[in-house]
Amino acid sequence: MSGDGEVAEPGWEVDPDDDWGVAVIATVGRQLRLRREAVGMRAAEFAEAVGYGEDVLKAGGLISATWEDVKRVRYPKKVRELAKAEGQAVEIGVYVCNSISGLLQTEEHTRALIEAAQPPYSPDDVERMVTARLARRTVFERDPAPSIHFVLEETVLRRPVGGRMVQQRQLEHLLEVGRLRNVTLQVMPTATDAHPGLDGRIELLKFPDGTAVGRAEGTFNGRPTTDPRQLRVIELQYGTIRAQALSPRESSTFIEQLLGES
């Protein structure tokens, strides 16, 4: 309810700390309110009418245009920023210790992970998060293609997230992505010695102008950094992890063996 007792304008949840997202939602809300008032409708009537199309409201494309802005800000801020950075990078390196990288997840695997959260997300939030994560996979379709390398822990490949069929399709997807010419996929065996990634996720993105951004959960408070000295530390950690992991060919063979077991 608004302050005057009227039903609030149809709205969408957005991170209150996301200044750009809040601004877009506020602007869209104002535009929709003006359109509603122009056709003499209350908010509840307007919300129902939107479902019948713009011709009913004589909106002239306004709602379609604003909806595109809303869809973008409904993705979490950190997901939008990450997707933007991945879309500009010429080299991407990712290590995740307790799950399969979001860039590599199938829709079924992603959904199973998100639905397992406690407290549970609302159905709308689940859909929003699944869509946002899958949208990042367009990085594989870029031309020219970036160089992308992943290191995955054996334990996460063995975990039947979503059930055996979902696990099988996820392993098959990993093999498909691993065959791409610009992708290197390695598996870290559980039986290997300790390595620098045991503290958590490591990500490295390098850009055409020679700059880079990196993040390691166990280093520099886990915050993204562009400081050259800190980046050298993160690169050393990631390089050590890759050196201890199976080679790409050995990793592919290992995943095929897991498929035979599932």
Side-chain angles (χ1 to χ4, degrees), residues 90-204:
V90 295
E91 184 177 343
I92 301 172
V94 182
Y95 163 80
V96 187
C97 67
N98 55 8
S99 66
I100 292 173
S101 168
L103 285 173
L104 294 172
Q105 293 174 11
T106 63
E107 179 176 350
E108 297 164 306
H109 185 100
T110 294
R111 189 177 301 279
L113 286 178
I114 293 173
E115 289 180 343
Q118 290 295 333
Y121 294 107
S122 70
D124 284 347
D125 281 341
V126 169
E127 292 305 317
R128 179 170 62 97
M129 295 170 76
V130 170
T131 299
R133 187 168 299 179
L134 295 179
R136 291 173 52 208
R137 300 195 306 192
T138 56
V139 70
F140 294 112
E141 302 167 7
R142 278 176 46 199
D143 184 18
S147 174
I148 313 177
H149 32 92
F150 301 94
V151 181
L152 307 171
E153 288 285 348
E154 173 187 343
T155 52
V156 305
L157 300 181
R158 291 188 177 277
R159 183 173 296 122
V161 172
R164 292 296 179 185
M165 290 300 295
V166 173
Q167 179 193 26
Q168 184 174 16
R169 284 190 284 268
Q170 177 64 68
L171 294 175
E172 292 170 347
H173 180 65
L174 291 177
L175 289 174
E176 292 173 6
V177 175
R179 296 188 190 104
L180 298 175
R181 291 189 302 169
N182 63 311
V183 174
T184 301
L185 196 152
Q186 295 177 257
V187 174
M188 179 69 75
T190 302
T192 195
D193 204 348
H195 60 75
L198 295 179
D199 286 333
R201 175 191 302 268
I202 295 179
E203 294 172 290
L204 271 171

